[in-house]
Amino acid sequence: MTMPSEDRIQQHRRYLMCRPDHFTVSYEINPWMDRARPPDTAKALRQWQVLHDTYVRLGHRVDLIDPIPGLDDMVYTANSGLVIDGVALGARFSVSERRGEERPFRQWFAAHGYGVVEPVAMQEGEGDLMLAGQIILAGYGFRTQLDSHAEVARVFGREVVSLRLVNPFYYHLDTALCVLDPVEGPGGVERANIAYLPSAFDERAQSELLERFPDAIRLPPSVPESLGLNAVSDGRNVVMSPAATHFADQLRERGYHTVPVDLSELHLGGGGIKCCTLELRGGRS
């Protein structure tokens, strides 16, 4: 369904980010990471700063959490939890290398007025939990336990749709799916839409997504694998990888405005734009 760009509604958002001062690849926990190919930390910081400044230029609020030495992946703030209506469900990481991030993020949430819920089951925040309209899309198969989805439903009182990921390059939901409309209903769109890569999901998940989002942007398998869908949309502007040219064409056809930001150095840790961006919904200003 084509929509003129002037009809797209930009929603002003609030994001949590973390400077990659200590970003490196000292371990390997996903197919992107290679200790023999370490990132240039200074370059990663420059790219991250462009992303930060892009959000500010677009009118969004960006909060920062202080980076901690030894926590290489703290820059990927999306994995730290899920925040809806002032409630922050913290992450419980499946990999030991990232468990040190859990407490600092929960302390930040509490200090900034969010009601913090300590998780029981393993889940990795907005990496695998994405709010799409009134429902929460929840990935599992690599990092997040399926059992966590019932806990997420209880905490937020929303329907949770379980989606099994089957390709290890798409080990988190936010590498294979992008929510294009952050607000559904009054002040937003009539029905939130998404973009996704069907081949990253099992057949049951593909059928579920097709039924729920018949107008979604569906992208063909990409070779080599890319982080093109690891993008952030405010309803009009989609901040995305400049390498995802096919996705950009599809977005422009739908009336979205594409905003390319190169985060290639941070790709070496297995994350991109969305991974570096946790949305803060509700809470005190």
Side-chain angles (χ1 to χ4, degrees):
M1 181 176 62
T2 302
M3 179 182 290
S5 59
E6 58 269 20
D7 291 341
R8 291 288 175 194
I9 304 170
Q10 182 191 15
Q11 306 290 341
H12 293 285
R13 317 309 293 159
R14 182 179 179 184
Y15 301 130
L16 179 63
M17 299 183 70
C18 180
R19 286 168 54 91
D21 291 349
H22 311 295
F23 175 65
T24 188
V25 174
S26 60
Y27 47 78
E28 298 173 7
I29 57 174
N30 66 59
W32 298 86
M33 304 176 86
D34 183 352
R35 283 175 292 182
R37 194 162 60 105
D40 180 333
T41 303
K43 182 179 179 182
L45 182 53
R46 291 194 297 271
Q47 292 181 341
W48 176 93
Q49 191 66 51
V50 171
L51 178 62
H52 171 280
D53 294 349
T54 297
Y55 289 144
V56 174
R57 176 175 57 81
L58 291 172
H60 304 304
R61 172 174 171 175
V62 178
D63 289 59
L64 299 176
I65 184 172
D66 292 333
I68 298 174
L71 298 181
D72 301 356
D73 289 338
M74 201 168 170
V75 62
Y76 303 127
T77 56
N79 304 149
S80 67
L82 179 64
V83 183
I84 302 174
D85 297 334
V87 174
L89 173 64
R92 184 180 175 203
F93 285 99
S94 63
V95 290
S96 60
E97 292 86 349
R98 297 199 63 182
R99 287 178 192 149
E101 300 173 38
E102 295 172 358
R103 185 59 52 196
F105 276 107
R106 290 177 208 167
Q107 290 173 341
W108 189 96
F109 295 141
H112 289 79
Y114 294 92
V116 178
V117 178
E118 297 272 348
V120 175
M122 286 182 180
Q123 48 77 14
E124 301 198 350
E126 277 196 338
D128 273 325
L129 304 170
M130 308 185 76
L131 182 64
Q134 303 305 313
I135 65 174
I136 297 171
L137 302 178
Y140 73 101
F142 294 101
R143 295 289 190 83
T144 291
Q145 290 180 335
L146 179 59
D147 290 350
S148 71
H149 296 180
E151 181 180 12
V152 172
R154 287 195 303 271
V155 169
F156 295 107
R158 293 173 183 261
E159 180 186 6
V160 173
V161 179
S162 299
L163 304 168
R164 184 167 180 247
L165 297 160
V166 295
N167 183 329
F169 276 94
Y170 303 98
Y171 61 95
H172 274 154
L173 183 64
D174 68 359
T175 64
L177 187 148
C178 175
V179 177
L180 298 176
D181 306 299
V183 175
E184 179 182 85
V189 296
E190 181 179 349
R191 184 174 183 181
N193 205 5
I194 65 170
Y196 69 101
L197 183 72
S199 62
F201 300 92
D202 69 5
E203 290 186 4
R204 181 176 180 180
Q206 290 182 40
S207 297
E208 187 78 46
L209 288 170
L210 185 62
E211 180 179 351
R212 289 177 179 269
F213 300 96
D215 296 324
I217 294 175
R218 288 178 286 275
L219 297 177
S222 57
V223 180
E225 313 288 358
S226 74
L227 283 166
L229 278 165
N230 196 247
V232 171
S233 175
D234 64 17
R236 183 179 188 276
N237 304 291
V238 182
V239 183
M240 60 179 298
S241 168
T245 54
H246 180 65
F247 182 31
D249 290 342
Q250 295 278 337
L251 288 167
R252 287 190 288 267
E253 287 180 9
R254 304 292 187 97
Y256 295 95
H257 176 235
T258 57
V259 183
V261 174
D262 180 16
L263 231 60
S264 54
E265 208 64 23
L266 284 152
H267 288 184
L268 297 177
I273 289 167
K274 178 65 189 82
C275 292
C276 294
T277 311
L278 174 70
E279 182 153 359
L280 301 171
R281 305 174 184 89
R284 72 181 184 220
S285 60

